[in-house]
Amino acid sequence: MSSNKIKFVWENKIFTIKNLDPNETILNYVRLNLKKTGTKEGCAEGGCGACTIVLGEIENNKIIYKAINSCISFLPSLEGKQLILVEDLIADNGSLHVVQDAMIKHHGSQCGFCTPGFVMSLFAMYKNFNSYNKEKIQDSISGNLCRCTGYRPIIDAAKSLNSSSKIDKFYKNRKKNY
Ligand code: FES
Ligand code: FES
């Protein structure tokens, strides 16, 4: 990476940012430049998870999905990664991702402000593992705060993923031996 230019993948295309400001947060870039406002700003200091996005990264020949707080992550962190936003989870035919569907079915969203962040944290868990026990679920959403639901419906939604299909629009990106 040269000091003022990065490349990353978004929506299956390679994006280049030239002359970037290394102090610009990914959250600001996503909302102001990419015009994707599903990712929310809550505390803006890494404490609430409303701004959670996922970065895909190759590790040991497979893609690992990492949920991060975009409000405290800066543009250089995107270098060489796949950027995944809550808007990107929708299938090409317009249907919701199984994680989004589970949140609806289990009433995991009330005011909705925290919901995109929870969805992205659960999406990373869903992609990285094949089964989801209580510890894994709690660990995955440990950085997300919700003032409305009391968490139980969100945890129920996460548990229901154990019986969901593992095939989503990102499935084709895996390595053949994954
Ligand atoms: S806005 Fe609260 S963690 Fe980023
Ligand atoms: S649904 Fe309102 S903060 Fe979570």
Side-chain angles (χ1 to χ4, degrees):
M1 177 182 83
S2 67
S3 58
N4 63 352
K5 179 174 144 185
I6 59 167
K7 285 187 180 184
F8 61 96
V9 174
W10 181 53
E11 292 185 326
N12 287 326
K13 295 188 197 86
I14 296 177
F15 260 70
T16 303
I17 310 177
K18 294 178 182 165
N19 302 316
L20 66 86
D21 174 359
N23 296 313
E24 181 170 7
T25 64
I26 298 176
L27 177 62
N28 272 355
Y29 181 78
V30 160
R31 290 181 59 88
L32 301 178
N33 293 67
L34 299 182
K35 309 289 185 202
K36 295 293 182 184
T37 53
T39 309
K40 304 302 181 199
E41 180 177 283
C43 64
E45 56 183 25
C48 74
C51 65
T52 304
I53 61 165
V54 168
L55 297 184
E57 196 174 345
I58 304 276
E59 275 184 26
N60 298 324
N61 211 28
K62 69 178 185 181
I63 301 176
I64 300 296
Y65 295 86
K66 293 184 179 167
I68 65 163
N69 289 327
S70 62
C71 70
I72 52 168
S73 303
F74 299 93
L75 284 180
S77 317
L78 288 177
E79 169 67 11
K81 313 270 174 61
Q82 178 187 11
L83 171 64
I84 305 173
L85 307 175
V86 69
E87 289 91 342
D88 302 330
L89 301 197
I90 302 280
D92 296 335
N93 66 5
S95 60
L96 291 177
H97 191 275
V98 290
V99 172
Q100 296 169 309
D101 202 40
M103 285 285 275
I104 291 171
K105 283 191 179 131
H106 291 271
H107 308 286
S109 180
Q110 288 183 21
C111 82
F113 194 80
C114 70
T115 307
F118 273 97
V119 165
M120 295 313 284
S121 293
L122 292 176
F123 167 75
M125 178 194 77
Y126 163 85
K127 295 303 291 177
N128 289 333
F129 303 102
N130 287 316
S131 62
Y132 319 104
N133 60 21
K134 194 175 163 196
E135 288 70 34
K136 241 175 235 168
I137 293 168
Q138 287 179 340
D139 189 46
S140 299
I141 60 172
S142 60
N144 296 84
L145 298 183
C146 177
R147 290 177 183 273
C148 305
T149 63
Y151 298 99
R152 188 194 47 76
I154 296 171
I155 291 170
D156 287 347
K159 283 182 185 162
S160 78
L161 296 172
N162 281 302
S163 51
S164 293
S165 166
K166 293 300 290 176
I167 298 178
D168 63 5
K169 70 188 273 194
F170 302 90
Y171 187 75
K172 62 183 183 301
N173 296 336
R174 78 204 188 288
K175 290 277 180 180
K176 282 204 170 64
N177 60 353
Y178 174 36

